[in-house]
Amino acid sequence: MAFTHVCLWTVLAFALTWTVLYVTNRKKKATELADAAAEERRDGASDVIIVGAGVGGSALAYALAKDGRRVHVIERDMREPERMMGEFMQPGGRFMLSQLGLQDCLDGIDAQKATGMAVYKDGKEAVASFPVDNNNFPYDPSARSFHNGRFVQSLRQKASSLPSVRLEEGTVKSLIEEKGVIKGVTYKNKAGEETTALAPLTVVCDGCYSNLRRSLNDNNAEVLSYQVGYISKNCRLDDPENLHLIMSKPSSIMLYQISSTDVRCGFELFPDNFPSIAKGEMATFAKNTLAPQVPPKLRKIFLKGLDEGAHIKAVPAKRMTATLSNKKGVIVLGDAFNMRHPSVAAGMMVLLSDILILRRLLQPLSNLGDANKVSEVIKSFYSIRKPMSATVNTLGTAFSQVLIASTDEAKEAMRQGCYDYLCSGGFRTSGMMALLGGMNPRPISLIYHLCAITLHSIGHLLSPFPSPIRIWHSLRLFGLATKMLVPHLKAEGVSQMLFPANAAAYRKSYMAASVF
Ligand SMILES: Cc1cc2nc3c(=O)[nH]c(=O)nc-3n(C[C@H](O)[C@H](O)[C@H](O)COP(=O)(O)OP(=O)(O)OC[C@H]3O[C@@H](n4cnc5c(N)ncnc54)[C@H](O)[C@@H]3O)c2cc1C
């Protein structure tokens, strides 16, 4: 009995000593980290490191610096990017830009106003404009198109004009991690030296080819197709205030004015039918197969770039659902975090909306050193962004699918139904354009219009009378619409999209700013 007591007391004494030592050690470690953080602050170190000064990194740097944070942005190439992406800012994106105080970044870059879209199919054409009387949208209902590189430079200049932003040229190699918490990055600076930067919060914003996201989650991007394009120089569209969308075969063609003298010409292709650019086969394909389908009033401009030997580029169109990393002290944003088909030209809009949400959630935190609190903010951010981002992502999937020509009658009926619906005028056109323009990117509106398009297409298939073959195609069309959307909605998370836990409270508190 006495022996048992001795053993018990010994075990208890051990347990107690271990607990005291563990707690003291943790406290010491926490104090050391807090001291190190305080030391870094005294040294003028940063509160936030941002990897990449593209659209997202630059806009975020500006927003956080405006809130008093010291921001260190590391960008691998400070020259003006020459890219074929991010050239069309929807009205919703312009509104977000204005909410961030960055609206003037679209001034002085020869950006062109766009009031809607001219759509062409089988010799017919119609104009679908952004609604001007949308009471839910408190901003000018027009888009802007521009050279992406000029816009990015303008954002970089604006961010680096703030004293608390340090924009440095360097290539980030890896994230520094300590027990599941990201402490900063290692990078190669302009002089070629390997060095490190530490901060309580690291934001990975290194774009669609992100290397760093791989160390944070196992999210994989899916390549859907390729966007091929070139610029026709020294010309002006007859109707430069509309983006011109031609529903051609095998897929759609787009033309839009990106400066007072330059027109972007682009089309979508799939890997199974991809002529070589280097061997000149792509230019031949565009001239022989696509140009005859371009309406005569646009054809000259479409051919101009090809005839003048414009540089043809191809960029993969990717889709990637957003996934949270379980690491602390880090957040991934922009294309490194979430991508959708570019047919809806909305990547920058979603990104700017994300920045606005994140910034507002971080505002109450006086310092970002508490990794647990920041982690909570990031989780809220993830659910608050859902309704808007998932709406745009789903729209991207649906819209890109109906733009692909097919010999399948059911698919073709869907395509025709979409054209008819979008171009019918009245509330259908304004509803769809409000969705596409990011003026009303709400899940319920999306579901309503997608169901309406499906029913409209079925009605088209069944008319003038419902023969057995037409009924069969209608059932297939319904199946196709379901197959197209259900897996996508599942991946986005239907409940988070429709009933996000924190979004209602958030929206209520920021109603004045009308964040969607
Ligand atoms: C074909 C195509 C067309 C599109 N068209 C539109 C459109 O019209 N409208 C629209 O709203 N969206 C469009 N998008 C989407 C849009 O372009 C993106 O959503 C947006 O540019 C993403 O911004 P970002 O800041 O995440 O990435 P980016 O703007 O690509 O910036 C990433 C930055 O990180 C830097 N970087 C990368 N790696 C490192 C590293 N290791 N160290 C340091 N720096 C690094 C890069 O140099 C770059 O400057 C399109 C996309 C595609 C593919």
Side-chain angles (χ1 to χ4, degrees):
M1 189 69 178
F3 178 71
T4 319
H5 267 132
V6 169
C7 286
L8 211 68
W9 280 112
T10 314
V11 169
L12 270 175
F14 263 122
L16 199 69
T17 317
W18 186 86
T19 312
V20 169
L21 281 175
Y22 178 76
V23 170
T24 321
N25 210 15
R26 277 193 64 141
K27 271 191 181 161
K28 201 173 146 210
K29 187 94 186 158
T31 321
E32 274 171 17
L33 279 175
D35 286 351
E39 188 62 31
E40 278 176 19
R41 289 183 74 85
R42 274 195 296 279
D43 284 356
S46 345
D47 299 305
V48 185
I49 293 166
I50 299 177
V51 183
V55 177
S58 310
L60 180 71
Y62 180 82
L64 294 183
K66 272 283 177 192
D67 290 346
R69 317 274 184 203
R70 284 161 312 167
V71 188
H72 183 182
V73 190
I74 306 170
E75 163 58 47
R76 70 175 168 202
D77 190 353
M78 224 65 103
R79 289 170 302 175
E80 183 174 310
E82 264 190 50
R83 305 191 308 178
M84 191 189 65
M85 57 198 286
E87 295 177 328
F88 195 87
M89 178 74 80
Q90 301 286 0
R94 287 184 60 224
F95 174 56
M96 299 298 166
L97 210 58
S98 78
Q99 294 283 294
L100 290 165
L102 290 166
Q103 66 278 19
D104 53 350
C105 291
L106 286 173
D107 299 338
I109 59 167
D110 199 15
Q112 303 293 300
K113 180 178 175 180
T115 53
M117 195 159 62
V119 194
Y120 308 81
K121 187 173 186 298
D122 302 331
K124 285 191 198 157
E125 77 173 81
V127 170
S129 301
F130 297 119
V132 286
D133 51 359
N134 187 327
N135 295 333
N136 294 322
F137 188 68
Y139 201 66
D140 165 41
S142 66
R144 292 290 181 276
S145 48
F146 42 79
H147 281 271
N148 171 277
R150 294 181 191 171
F151 178 54
V152 168
Q153 288 306 79
S154 179
L155 287 170
R156 285 176 181 170
Q157 259 171 29
K158 179 102 178 179
S160 53
S161 70
L162 298 179
S164 48
V165 173
R166 180 175 163 218
L167 178 52
E168 184 187 1
E169 189 161 298
T171 303
V172 174
K173 298 288 176 193
S174 62
L175 300 169
I176 301 171
E177 184 181 342
E178 214 177 85
K179 295 185 182 153
V181 182
I182 301 300
K183 301 284 180 183
V185 299
T186 60
Y187 67 106
K188 204 176 231 184
N189 65 17
K190 206 177 172 186
E193 297 152 348
E194 291 270 355
T195 181
T196 58
L198 300 176
L201 179 63
T202 301
V203 184
V204 173
C205 210
D206 54 349
C208 58
Y209 301 108
S210 171
N211 285 325
L212 297 175
R213 74 156 181 260
R214 282 180 247 285
S215 57
L216 294 169
N217 56 49
D218 52 5
N219 211 358
N220 275 326
E222 181 191 353
V223 175
L224 301 166
S225 60
Y226 289 86
Q227 299 292 316
V228 184
Y230 55 89
I231 295 174
S232 287
K233 291 191 175 288
N234 302 316
C235 53
R236 211 158 160 75
L237 294 161
D238 278 351
D239 176 9
E241 288 205 359
N242 275 313
L243 180 152
H244 298 261
L245 172 70
I246 303 142
M247 294 178 81
S248 50
K249 291 173 184 163
S251 53
S252 55
I253 303 170
M254 273 196 201
L255 281 91
Y256 51 98
Q257 199 78 43
I258 54 168
S259 78
S260 46
T261 55
D262 295 344
V263 174
R264 163 67 68 202
C265 304
F267 46 91
E268 183 179 26
L269 284 181
F270 298 89
D272 57 349
N273 171 23
F274 201 86
S276 156
I277 295 178
K279 290 182 190 159
E281 291 165 4
M282 187 65 84
T284 310
F285 168 81
K287 277 184 198 173
N288 296 345
T289 309
L290 298 179
Q293 301 181 61
V294 176
K297 65 175 181 178
L298 302 171
R299 198 175 298 149
K300 212 170 140 195
I301 290 183
F302 184 79
L303 287 170
K304 191 171 192 292
L306 296 169
D307 290 339
E308 290 174 358
H311 178 43
I312 301 180
K313 289 186 185 174
V315 180
K318 298 182 187 175
R319 177 172 57 198
M320 187 177 73
T321 47
T323 310
L324 264 190
S325 167
N326 56 11
K327 307 265 162 71
K328 292 182 178 167
V330 67
I331 180 157
V332 190
L333 274 187
D335 277 9
F337 176 53
N338 189 197
M339 285 183 267
R340 75 286 312 148
H341 195 282
S343 59
V344 283
M348 295 187 294
M349 177 175 75
V350 174
L351 174 51
L352 292 169
S353 163
D354 283 353
I355 291 173
L356 203 52
I357 294 171
L358 184 66
R359 174 218 195 150
R360 284 177 176 163
L361 290 173
L362 287 174
Q363 268 165 353
L365 305 187
S366 56
N367 98 59
L368 304 175
D370 186 334
N372 289 326
K373 271 194 188 159
V374 173
S375 236
E376 286 309 309
V377 161
I378 294 171
K379 279 186 199 144
S380 309
F381 159 75
Y382 182 76
S383 82
I384 289 167
R385 72 182 291 277
K386 262 292 163 183
M388 196 265 196
S389 63
T391 300
V392 175
N393 296 347
T394 311
L395 186 63
T397 297
F399 200 57
S400 63
Q401 299 268 316
V402 292
L403 289 181
I404 304 167
S406 172
T407 47
D408 180 324
E409 272 197 51
K411 280 189 185 162
E412 200 44 39
M414 189 78 166
R415 196 159 169 261
Q416 183 63 44
C418 184
Y419 173 84
D420 293 342
Y421 191 90
L422 183 61
C423 302
S424 57
F427 76 95
R428 292 169 173 171
T429 304
S430 59
M432 274 306 285
M433 288 306 284
L435 265 173
L436 286 165
M439 300 164 70
N440 182 25
R442 290 173 205 273
I444 208 70
S445 174
L446 172 80
I447 290 168
Y448 170 80
H449 286 291
L450 292 185
C451 290
I453 290 175
T454 308
L455 292 177
H456 184 86
S457 309
I458 289 176
H460 179 79
L461 254 182
L462 291 178
S463 61
F465 58 88
S467 67
I469 187 79
R470 285 184 178 144
I471 293 174
W472 167 237
H473 285 317
S474 307
L475 290 173
R476 282 187 44 248
L477 189 151
F478 186 75
L480 281 171
T482 316
K483 208 169 139 196
M484 185 162 83
L485 289 173
V486 171
H488 181 84
L489 287 172
K490 262 193 189 161
E492 286 289 346
V494 183
S495 63
Q496 273 179 316
M497 185 176 169
L498 293 173
F499 316 105
N502 303 327
Y506 173 82
R507 225 182 272 126
K508 211 168 157 194
S509 59
Y510 288 109
M511 208 56 187
S514 310
V515 173
F516 308 110

